[in-house]
Amino acid sequence: MTPSARQRLVAPDGALRDTMLWTLLAEEYPASPSAATVTEALDVLGQKLL
């Protein structure tokens, strides 16, 4: 089940948009497809965070 918030976000044009929230607990991570995904995080200057 994916939690959602239907029409909770107001877009810049004033239209209501749906939003979704996804979570992954630390103990779930090793067995998830996310663990096999190459992840890269950058700051606003393009410097690597991870």
Side-chain angles (χ1 to χ4, degrees):
M1 183 169 91
T2 303
S4 68
R6 309 247 335 149
Q7 297 186 346
R8 298 284 178 94
L9 176 69
V10 180
D13 65 0
L16 293 175
R17 304 281 186 220
D18 295 347
T19 60
M20 296 177 73
L21 173 67
W22 297 79
T23 61
L24 182 64
L25 302 176
E27 60 269 16
E28 297 170 332
Y29 180 78
S32 76
S34 298
T37 303
V38 176
T39 303
E40 186 175 66
L42 307 173
D43 67 14
V44 71
L45 298 175
Q47 301 296 313
K48 283 191 174 188
L49 297 172
L50 298 176

